[in-house]
């Protein structure tokens, strides 16, 4: 609860009154000695023209202030790491002594002895401890970036002996804007809606951001879940910088609900901790640092809590990934004002109050890291040494991965591994492993006996054993399963391991055989083939797709082409043959795909190119419903796929505008998970007619339930395992869960009945257009929802069906697992002249489930070509 002793200061700042700089400095740095700051260094207030906490600072102003610190002080160096989708810079300020600033590269090189066990142990007294303070990964958790300005000022301007010691013994990096695009979205909202005097009513517009809010980046991605998959440019730039320093202590500054106080780690013991991580991380490093946080907040009289919530389970987070790199990552959460001042159960929470708490714990972090320097440096050295020991005990000695028919996706996964500084080797020979064919140059080997063993394990292994049954986020995060590539675990790496790989391959597009007067072919199995199709169509070329496999070429040199192969005939185009070749050549280069030119439509085997099973692909005109009620993350994922993966314009229609939307201009409409109750009967009838007249409706998760319940499609749902749920004996690892305290019964029951995020095995019909491009019927599927689809009465309509025992990785209750087994994951249902593609899950989850995003892409681009037979007779007639 706020104390009256500083209520006046909070009100003066919150109301926007101009206070002298010294008054603001004494508020945010109450223990600092008067006159202990260098007058040549401007305070944030002096630079910006308003007191910190009275206004939300824009990203350009934050960057400008740090540039000013770089200009006026030799303690600071500012570096631009990259740019966002909205062209905002990503910056990091490095703060240390002028002497250290002159030798940053040498310091980085000396610290390599901490992460490379092959090097001799260093002299810890001569190495700096590296402290990384990261702010604003969730853009609307805005107090953190304001605190970053104050912390940067303090470390730059303070002349106290303690600060000088910190700078001598440490290198401090400040990332003030982990999510610049989301930050500006939020700050504009709060600044546009603030009032004088402050309106503290939680229902005031200032405190209720409009959809999608400022939490996420441009494509509505939660960047705090992107540290392992690295799908966004912000994450990739930040990861490259991380591996330059390997921070010993890394803090992620967040906000939580207004009724919260302040959270710092340790997190909930055991149940949210990863068994790959040495116990010392949780039981020593976290505990040591927590004493400094507690003291800092005690001095302010601020309430706080620990050990009750949040995960250290997965390296997807910015506060957990450092644990997998020999450091300690820590989450800070402060109860948020979400505006300048808001009523909560602890009184009125003001923006300055939240900022001050973060400033106090930020300084405490530096103090603790410096005072315990040798502890953290030794731990990092021991961490990477013990990684090799653990790897030698692990039965799997190498993972072989790759897909000869999809070099693009194979290379994309290789690039991810290298970004995590994982040692990868070439495959030494063509081999068949676990009934899977791996080809040299098109497959790779990842040994487990390497310093990055723990990240390797996280990327490839399944996890089904947990200490608890209630989780904060996903429990299955294997990237190898998400990419859908063939993987084989080997107990002897030397049998297949070739030379070390230093960089991803540079893939170049080509037209094999040169210009053709007849046709060009492109296998649909290549990850970039759909993007190439979109480019061909936008260039005006008629493009066809093969519904049956065939072989083309000569008897001596032929190529097999599978389901979904693109066929670009030459003579039927409106352009001359030279122009067609130029377009195909340009598309091949831009998308790194290999076309094959053929001079005849007569195939060596299978269908000929003039067959009715080679059908023209209509150009896709797609729309997605967005806005209030829709799941912003799923909207962003679909938008990202269309924009970044396909180069396909995707119209985003506000749900409130659907009634006046001219649906006839769209071939496909996407409904992600959400609540569509605002669509009245007239709107539902309009959508139903559009489908019946030939449209393709694509629904995800509970949008599929909605479509079924509205009668848009005649499929059925399975009764939810959670309906009438009253089981209080949920199990973890087959054992009864621990007794629950009464005040947590409801929360934990909700947790165990949910499907937080786990991985399953399913069977896919690769002869259906929705499955085109996949070469195996085994499909890994991610799910984090409780939509259960019943297999269709038409056996050809169930495109993807879960196995009888489908769990691969992650936690799920036995009741939910029984529901998932043999249920449908994807159903395509004909409705009049159109069709509905029902997904039980989110195929585009967090942008990295490439194995299933293919199905969503196929639904967008090829959905209109799905023509379901009604039985064996129909199939026979079609084949004949």
């Amino acid at each position: 609860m706020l104390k009256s002793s500083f209520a006046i200061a909070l009100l003066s700042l919150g109301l926007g009154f101009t206070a002298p700089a010294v008054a603001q400095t004494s508020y945010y740095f109450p223990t600092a000695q008067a006159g202990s700051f260098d007058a040549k260094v401007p305070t944030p207030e002096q630079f910006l023209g308003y007191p910190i906490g009275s206004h939300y600072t824009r990203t350009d102003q934050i960057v400008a202030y740090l540039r000013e610190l770089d200009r006026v002080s030799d303690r600071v160096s500012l570096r631009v790491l990259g740019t966002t989708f909205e062209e905002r810079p990503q910056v990091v300020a490095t703060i240390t002594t002028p002497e250290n600033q002159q030798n940053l590269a040498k310091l980085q090189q000396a610290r390599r002895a901490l992460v490379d066990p092959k090097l001799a142990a260093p002299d810890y007294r001569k190495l700096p401890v590296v402290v990384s303070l990261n702010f604003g990964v969730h853009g609307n958790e805005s107090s953190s970036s304001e605190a970053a300005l104050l912390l940067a000022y303090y470390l730059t301007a303070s002349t106290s002996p303690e600060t000088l010691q910190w700078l001598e013994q440490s290198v401090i990096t400040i990332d003030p804007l982990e999510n610049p695009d989301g930050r500006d979205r939020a700050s504009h909202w709060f600044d546009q809606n603030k009032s004088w005097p402050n309106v503290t009513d939680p229902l005031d517009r200032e405190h209720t951001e409009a959809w999608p809010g400022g939490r996420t980046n441009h494509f509505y991605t939660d960047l705090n879940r992107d540290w392992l998959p690295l799908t966004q440019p912000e994450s990739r730039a930040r990861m490259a910088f991380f591996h330059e320093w390997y921070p010993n202590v890394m803090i992620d500054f967040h906000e939580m609900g207004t009724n919260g106080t302040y959270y710092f780690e340790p997190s909930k013991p055991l149940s949210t901790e990863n068994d790959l991580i040495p116990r010392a991380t949780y039981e020593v490093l976290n505990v040591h640092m927590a004493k400094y946080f507690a003291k800092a907040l005690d001095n302010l009289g601020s309430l706080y809590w620990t050990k009750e919530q949040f995960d250290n389970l997965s390296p997807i987070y910015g506060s957990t990934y450092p644990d997998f790199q020999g450091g300690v990552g820590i989450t800070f959460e402060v109860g948020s004002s979400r505006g300048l001042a808001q009523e909560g159960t602890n009184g009125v929470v003001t923006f300055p109050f939240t900022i001050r708490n973060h400033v106090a714990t930020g300084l405490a972090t530096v103090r603790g890291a410096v005072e315990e320097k040798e502890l953290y440096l030794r731990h990092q050295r021991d961490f990477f040494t013990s990684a090799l020991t653990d790897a030698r005990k692990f039965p799997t000695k190498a993972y072989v991965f790759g897909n000869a028919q999809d070099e693009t996706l194979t290379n994309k996964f290789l690039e991810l591994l290298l970004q995590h500084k994982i040692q990868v080797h070439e495959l030494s020979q063509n081999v068949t492993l676990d009934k899977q064919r791996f080809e040299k140059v098109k497959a790779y080997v990842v040994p487990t006996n390497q310093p990055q063993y723990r990240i390797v394990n996280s990327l490839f292994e399944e996890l089904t054993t947990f200490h608890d049954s209630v989780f904060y986020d996903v429990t299955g995060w294997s990237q190898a399963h998400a990419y859908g590539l063939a993987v084989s675990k080997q107990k002897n790496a030397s049998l297949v391991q070739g030379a070390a790989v230093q960089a991803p391959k540079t893939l170049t597009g080509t037209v094999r055989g040169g210009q053709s007067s007849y046709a060009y072919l492109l296998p649909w199995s290549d990850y970039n083939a759909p993007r190439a199709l979109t480019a061909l169509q936008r260039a005006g070329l008629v493009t066809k797709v093969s519904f049956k496999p065939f072989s083309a070429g000569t008897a001596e040199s032929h190529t097999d082409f599978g389901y979904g192969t693109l066929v670009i005939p030459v003579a039927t185009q409106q352009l001359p043959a030279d122009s067609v070749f130029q377009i195909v050549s340009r598309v091949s280069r831009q998308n790194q795909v290999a076309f094959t030119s053929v001079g005849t439509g007569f195939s060596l085997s299978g269908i000929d190119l003039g067959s009715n099973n080679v059908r023209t692909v209509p150009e896709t005109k797609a729309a997605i419903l967005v806005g209030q009620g829709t799941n912003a993350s799923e909207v962003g994922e679909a938008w990202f796929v269309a924009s970044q993966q396909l180069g396909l314009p995707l119209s985003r229609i506000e749900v409130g505008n659907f009634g006046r939307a001219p649906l006839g201009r769209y071939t496909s409409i996407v409904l992600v998970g959400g609540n569509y109750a605002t669509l009245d009967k007239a709107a539902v009838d309009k959508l139903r007619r559009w489908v019946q007249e030939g449209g393709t409706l694509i629904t995800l998760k509970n949008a599929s339930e909605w479509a079924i319940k509205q009668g848009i499609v005649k499929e059925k749902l399975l009764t939810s395992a959670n309906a009438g749920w009253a089981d209080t004996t949920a199990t973890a690892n087959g054992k009864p869960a621990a007794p629950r305290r009464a005040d947590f019964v409801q929360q934990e029951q909700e947790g165990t009945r949910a499907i937080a995020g786990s991985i399953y095995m399913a069977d896919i019909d690769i002869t259906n257009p929705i499955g085109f491009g996949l070469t195996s019927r085994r499909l890994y599927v991610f799910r984090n929802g409780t939509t259960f689809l019943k297999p269709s009465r038409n056996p050809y309509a169930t495109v993807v069906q879960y196995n009888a025992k489908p769990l691969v990785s992650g936690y799920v209750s036995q009741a939910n697992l029984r529901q998932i087994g043999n249920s449908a994951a994807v159903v395509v249902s004909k409705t009049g002249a159109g069709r509905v593609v029902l997904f039980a899950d989110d195929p585009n989850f967090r942008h990295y489930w490439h194995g299933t995003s293919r199905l969503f892409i196929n639904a967008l681009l090829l959905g209109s070509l799905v023509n379901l037979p009604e039985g064996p007779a129909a199939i026979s007639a079609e084949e004949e």
Side-chain angles (χ1 to χ4, degrees):
M1 182 173 293
L2 304 185
K3 288 191 172 183
S4 58
S5 62
F6 42 82
I8 294 176
L10 298 181
L11 288 173
S12 68
L13 291 169
L15 292 171
F17 297 156
T18 302
V22 65
Q24 190 175 36
T25 300
S26 65
Y27 174 69
Y28 286 115
F29 311 121
T31 61
Q33 297 297 318
S36 61
F37 293 97
D38 185 346
K40 296 192 298 295
V41 180
T43 67
E45 179 180 354
Q46 290 169 335
F47 182 83
L48 298 170
Y50 55 83
I52 291 291
S54 67
H55 188 75
Y56 280 73
T57 307
R58 300 191 314 266
T59 61
D60 63 302
Q61 295 171 301
I62 292 172
V63 173
Y65 179 68
L66 294 178
R67 283 190 172 132
E68 179 67 4
L69 295 185
D70 184 3
R71 187 184 72 81
V72 301
S73 174
D74 53 5
R75 294 184 186 180
V76 183
S77 58
L78 188 68
R79 177 172 161 190
V80 177
L81 303 183
T83 56
T84 69
F85 283 112
E86 296 177 18
E87 299 301 332
R88 292 183 177 87
Q90 291 176 261
V91 299
V92 169
T94 300
I95 306 178
T96 187
T97 63
E99 294 75 17
N100 286 341
Q101 288 284 0
Q102 297 299 316
N103 294 287
L104 292 181
K106 290 182 179 179
L107 291 175
Q108 288 177 350
Q109 186 61 36
R111 283 176 51 84
R112 291 293 156 182
L114 298 175
V115 301
D116 186 352
K118 291 182 296 184
L119 299 177
D123 183 346
Y124 299 107
R125 296 169 300 175
K126 296 181 179 179
L127 285 182
V129 65
V130 174
V131 180
S132 288
L133 305 177
N134 290 6
F135 304 84
V137 70
H138 294 146
N140 58 4
E141 297 176 7
S142 309
S143 61
S144 62
S145 293
E146 308 287 345
L149 296 180
L150 290 164
L151 287 166
Y153 166 72
Y154 187 98
L155 295 169
T156 304
S158 173
T159 59
S160 72
E162 182 185 43
T163 304
L164 296 179
Q165 181 196 20
W166 291 353
L167 299 179
E168 182 182 349
Q169 296 295 321
S170 70
V171 172
I172 304 158
T173 68
I174 292 180
D175 184 338
L177 297 162
E178 292 184 276
N179 180 4
D181 294 348
R183 164 76 188 191
D184 266 0
R185 194 184 312 135
S187 62
H188 290 326
W189 176 270
F190 294 130
D191 285 338
Q192 289 168 358
N193 289 287
K194 68 180 182 179
S195 301
W196 297 269
N198 295 334
V199 179
T200 61
D201 180 356
L203 292 179
D204 181 65
R205 180 176 171 85
E206 180 184 3
H207 311 304
T208 54
E209 285 178 272
W211 188 99
R215 177 182 177 89
T216 53
N217 79 342
H218 178 81
F219 282 106
Y220 311 154
T221 305
D222 187 333
L223 295 177
N224 195 37
R225 272 77 175 161
D226 198 41
W227 277 78
L228 194 64
L230 303 178
T231 68
Q232 303 298 294
E234 298 95 329
S235 305
R236 291 190 290 272
R238 190 166 294 115
M239 181 60 64
F241 182 76
F242 178 95
H243 281 287
E244 291 180 14
W245 282 111
Y246 292 91
N248 300 103
V249 180
M250 184 164 168
I251 308 293
D252 219 8
F253 291 79
H254 289 262
E255 292 181 357
M256 55 185 165
T258 304
N259 294 332
T261 55
Y262 200 96
Y263 167 83
F264 55 84
E265 297 182 17
S267 57
K268 190 176 179 181
L270 284 178
S271 61
T272 61
E273 296 168 352
N274 193 299
D275 289 338
L276 289 171
I277 302 301
R279 295 305 308 160
T281 301
Y282 304 124
E283 297 174 356
V284 178
L285 303 191
N286 260 317
V287 174
H288 272 255
M289 195 59 72
K291 295 175 183 177
Y292 291 89
F293 308 149
K295 183 177 180 180
L297 294 174
D298 286 343
N299 289 340
L300 296 180
S302 295
L303 300 176
Y304 53 86
W305 57 278
T306 65
K307 303 180 291 292
E308 295 180 42
Q309 198 181 352
F310 301 117
D311 276 357
N312 271 308
L313 192 62
S314 162
I316 63 174
Y317 308 108
S319 61
T320 308
Y321 187 85
D323 295 346
F324 285 77
Q325 300 295 331
V328 58
I330 298 172
T331 296
F332 287 164
E333 299 266 359
V334 66
S336 175
S337 60
R338 281 297 199 278
L340 292 181
Q342 184 177 170
E343 299 163 20
T345 56
N346 292 311
V348 174
V349 180
T350 69
F351 196 33
F353 176 73
T354 64
I355 296 167
R356 186 166 90 149
N357 283 328
H358 274 333
V359 170
T361 55
L363 293 176
T365 299
V366 181
R367 179 178 292 114
V370 170
E371 292 184 6
E372 309 270 359
K373 183 181 85 164
E374 189 165 336
L375 170 69
Y376 289 92
L377 295 178
R378 285 187 180 276
H379 172 84
Q380 192 161 54
R381 170 77 182 186
D382 293 343
F383 176 92
F384 284 103
T385 302
S386 67
L388 298 181
T389 302
D390 290 353
R392 285 191 287 269
K393 297 175 184 177
F394 193 63
T396 299
K397 301 307 177 186
Y399 303 94
V400 181
F401 74 89
N403 182 348
Q405 298 181 63
D406 192 350
E407 285 192 80
T408 302
L409 189 58
T410 301
N411 202 49
K412 190 177 183 69
F413 189 53
L414 170 63
E415 183 179 16
L416 175 67
L417 298 176
L418 296 177
Q419 285 174 314
H420 287 292
K421 304 303 177 184
I422 290 170
Q423 297 171 11
V424 184
H425 293 257
E426 296 175 355
L427 184 67
S428 61
Q429 58 186 314
N430 295 342
V431 289
T432 298
L433 304 170
D434 300 326
K435 300 180 180 179
Q436 302 172 111
R437 179 69 173 171
F438 297 96
E439 295 184 15
K440 186 178 179 180
V441 184
K442 299 180 181 180
Y444 300 91
V445 181
V446 180
T448 56
N449 188 22
Q450 61 172 292
Q452 290 290 356
Y453 158 71
R454 293 180 173 105
I455 284 291
V456 170
N457 187 295
S458 299
L459 288 165
F460 283 92
E461 281 297 320
E462 300 90 9
L463 182 65
T464 56
T465 300
F466 300 90
H467 295 286
D468 201 350
S469 56
V470 181
F471 302 94
Y472 182 67
D473 201 355
V474 300
T475 56
W477 52 81
S478 164
Q479 302 295 295
H481 296 85
Y483 275 64
L485 295 167
V487 176
S488 176
K489 300 178 182 181
Q490 294 299 300
K491 294 184 178 181
N492 188 341
S494 63
L495 293 178
V496 291
Q497 184 171 307
V501 176
Q502 303 301 326
K505 290 174 64 175
T506 301
L507 299 178
T508 56
T510 185
V511 181
R512 295 172 182 148
Q515 183 172 340
S516 171
S517 60
Y518 194 84
Y520 302 94
L521 309 176
L522 177 64
W524 194 247
S525 56
D526 190 288
Y527 179 82
N528 282 350
R531 184 178 181 87
L533 168 63
T534 302
L536 292 168
Q537 290 179 326
R538 289 175 66 82
L541 294 189
V542 175
T543 307
K544 295 175 175 286
V545 62
S546 170
F547 273 58
K548 300 286 183 181
F550 61 93
S551 294
T554 65
E556 293 76 23
S557 176
H558 70 275
T559 303
D560 294 330
F561 293 91
Y563 293 97
T565 295
L566 295 183
V567 180
I568 301 93
V570 175
T572 58
Q573 306 293 340
Q574 297 298 311
L575 299 171
D578 287 351
S579 298
V580 173
F581 177 64
Q582 290 173 7
I583 292 172
V584 171
S585 298
R586 184 183 73 246
V587 169
S588 72
R589 292 192 303 272
Q590 291 175 344
N591 297 282
Q592 298 88 47
V593 294
F595 288 88
T596 299
S597 63
V598 292
T600 176
F602 189 77
S603 300
L604 296 177
S605 63
I607 63 171
D608 295 320
L609 299 189
S611 166
N612 287 336
N613 281 302
V614 180
R615 304 171 191 173
T616 300
V617 185
E619 187 172 358
T620 297
K621 304 290 185 181
I624 184 171
L625 266 62
V626 305
Q628 201 63 38
T630 64
N631 184 303
S633 294
E634 293 173 18
V635 167
E637 290 156 5
W639 180 23
F640 184 86
V641 166
S643 173
Q644 299 298 296
Q645 218 163 309
L646 299 178
L648 176 73
L650 179 67
S651 298
R652 289 161 288 148
I653 302 174
E654 290 282 341
V655 173
N657 289 333
F658 182 78
R660 63 187 184 88
L663 301 190
R665 67 177 294 165
Y666 307 114
T667 61
S668 304
I669 294 176
V670 179
L671 302 183
V672 301
N675 184 345
Y676 295 92
T678 55
L679 293 181
D680 59 17
K681 183 177 183 300
V684 175
D685 289 343
K686 178 180 180 179
L687 182 61
R688 183 185 296 108
R689 287 195 302 273
W690 172 82
V691 173
Q692 292 174 339
E693 291 169 1
T696 299
L697 179 64
I698 303 167
T699 59
L700 313 186
K701 299 175 71 173
N702 61 350
S704 297
E705 298 182 40
W706 179 84
I708 291 171
K709 292 175 181 177
Q710 296 298 321
I712 295 175
V713 60
K714 293 181 180 178
E715 298 294 344
K716 293 185 178 180
L717 298 166
L718 292 169
T719 303
S720 171
N722 296 329
W725 191 87
D727 179 10
T728 59
T729 60
T731 62
N733 309 329
K735 299 178 181 179
R740 300 187 179 94
R741 288 172 47 198
D743 56 340
F744 287 110
V745 167
Q746 181 177 2
Q747 175 186 346
E748 296 203 3
Q749 285 184 358
E750 290 293 331
T752 55
R753 66 193 286 190
I755 301 177
S758 31
I759 303 171
Y760 302 85
M761 179 62 72
D763 175 74
I764 180 168
D765 179 2
I766 60 176
T767 70
N768 187 294
I770 304 301
F772 279 1
L774 298 179
T775 56
S776 170
R777 292 190 65 100
R778 290 165 50 89
L779 180 70
Y780 291 107
V781 174
F782 181 90
R783 67 177 294 146
N784 64 344
T786 53
T787 295
F788 301 99
L789 296 178
K790 189 174 184 178
S792 179
R793 294 181 61 185
N794 181 346
Y796 306 106
T798 303
V799 182
V800 182
Q801 185 170 2
Y802 287 103
N803 292 0
K805 296 181 179 180
L807 181 63
V808 172
S809 186
Y811 174 82
V812 63
S813 70
Q814 291 300 311
N816 278 326
L817 185 57
R818 285 192 294 270
Q819 287 287 95
I820 295 170
N822 290 321
S823 68
V826 183
V827 173
V828 182
S829 187
K830 287 280 290 179
T831 301
R835 73 283 307 139
V836 180
V837 185
L838 303 160
F839 287 87
D841 318 301
D842 175 9
N844 307 313
F845 183 73
R846 293 182 182 168
H847 311 298
Y848 67 86
W849 270 86
H850 302 293
T852 52
S853 68
R854 287 175 177 268
L855 312 185
F856 177 78
I857 289 169
N858 286 345
L860 271 179
L861 302 183
L862 306 178
S864 62
L865 297 178
V866 176
N867 186 20
L868 299 172
E870 294 298 329
I875 285 287
S876 298
E878 181 177 327
E879 289 181 345
E880 290 173 0

